[in-house]
Amino acid sequence: MHPFIQKILENTQRLGHHICLGLDPDINKLPHHYERSLKGVSYFLYDVIEATKEHVIAFKPNMAFFEVFGVEGIQLLKDIRQKIPEKIPVILDAKRADIGNTSEKIAHYLIRYFNADAITLHPYMGFDSLSPFFNYAECFHFVLGLTSNPGAKDFEYLELSNKNKLYQSVLSKCNEWHKTYKNIGVVMGATQNIDWARQKYPELLFLVPGVGHQGGNYQESVENSKNSQQLTIINITRELLYASEEKKYLEILIKKLNSYKDIKK
Amino acid sequence: MHPFIQKILENTQRLGHHICLGLDPDINKLPHHYERSLKGVSYFLYDVIEATKEHVIAFKPNMAFFEVFGVEGIQLLKDIRQKIPEKIPVILDAKRADIGNTSEKIAHYLIRYFNADAITLHPYMGFDSLSPFFNYAECFHFVLGLTSNPGAKDFEYLELSNKNKLYQSVLSKCNEWHKTYKNIGVVMGATQNIDWARQKYPELLFLVPGVGHQGGNYQESVENSKNSQQLTIINITRELLYASEEKKYLEILIKKLNSYKDIKK
């Protein structure tokens, strides 16, 4: 079993939910008792990771929310990554891909420099833009399939001459590549109808954003997105990370997280 | 006229060629007299920029070649950016796009933090993943259209139910968006047949990679890719940046660059 899948399986069984916590720090949404500065952001993230690391199946930092602070923000991402225990995988949400020799460099940055357990990729440029990432066997790769934003209709939903939609063709390729590489999944937005994808490719692992603030329902998303191993990764960011601005924020956050266990029963 | 186009126009007229120099530092390809370290890379880039800044229409650093060195590499990108005179636009090749609130963060990083004159974007997620970038009116945006790598056949060349290829649909949307935003062009690989695109959208500005090492011919690429303003941006990286490993590398580089002027006549 792939080491990333192994960790997701163990954490899911231990916790009784499928929640990955998005780590997208926003200086304007910090609870009131954190300083509105990069220093405040770092204390906030250290506190969140310390409080939740036994309560989530994975963490998903989105690089952009660190890059916006420049090199100091990127250094912070590297620093907080060290605070995450090995059993909790880090999905580094970077949404990248380029021609092969460039993708090699990006892969080194994401997978070696940040020690990501999994990353996200843009499919547009095709196989040789992605294979330099797939070649890192120990890393898992979520290729964008069907996203939950309105713009999904512009290209992802375009009908091909074989009557499939573009995103269906992307899934088909990912499924094929996964058979060779054993380390590929897809991003499938919670607000989309994913039944077709789930039935057609029962083994593919889905990373499901869009639950909570973006409109998706947790329980429905779990039922619709679980693969043949009963695994799915439901990413929630805003509803949890900004659960409250009060002093007892961490308490409220944990309470919210635990409430998802009850939904399961 | 958009400030980026204004600069490209002036530089093209002054120099008599269309060459943008790719700045993708590779520690293993430095001329022999530079130390094989990040310090060596920085001296190399300072020397290249100083020697070529009056001889190219633009510079195109690819972020991945700096990110591979970690935060110190990213700081170097910020430092070398300061050395480039205002009249020579910087196309920051980052190939990004995410959901709207995330794209906002990336835009700030690329356009404000690095002060990019132009950037590159992945189209897959559609309009609302791109518009936060387009909203930076002073920046110019090259959306991936048809790339010169083999993987272009996986998705970009897929035939749609309306008989167009996917990349043609991307170009059509870019052309439409450009009418509103006035700051959008497309990436069109030199090794591809781009006549269709040139004839259908005569005003769209193309950024053309793939000349030199990747197999495209300069003169043909210029003729095939010039828009109605007689503008095109031909990016060359390896053939120029690694023109020689000898001590008189800079001399050879400038000679090669100037040889493109003669082709034009």
Side-chain angles (χ1 to χ4, degrees), chain B residues 244-258:
Chain B
S244 159
E245 293 186 318
E246 303 304 310
K247 196 123 195 161
K248 43 180 198 164
Y249 158 71
L250 290 172
E251 208 178 299
I252 295 169
L253 168 60
I254 297 298
K255 210 170 155 187
K256 270 214 175 192
L257 253 173
N258 286 331

Side-chain angles (χ1 to χ4, degrees), chain A residues 104-159:
Chain A
E104 289 260 0
K105 305 287 179 188
I106 306 172
H108 184 94
Y109 179 54
L110 302 180
I111 302 169
R112 287 280 182 272
Y113 186 70
F114 288 112
N115 198 16
D117 296 279
I119 58 172
T120 57
L121 298 169
H122 261 284
Y124 190 71
M125 294 176 70
F127 179 68
D128 64 301
S129 74
L130 303 170
S131 60
F133 299 97
F134 299 162
N135 285 336
Y136 285 76
E138 76 282 18
C139 185
F140 205 83
H141 306 83
F142 291 100
V143 178
L144 291 176
L146 187 54
T147 56
S148 48
N149 63 314
K153 73 174 186 332
D154 288 326
F155 306 117
E156 297 172 19
Y157 270 114
L158 281 183
E159 189 181 78

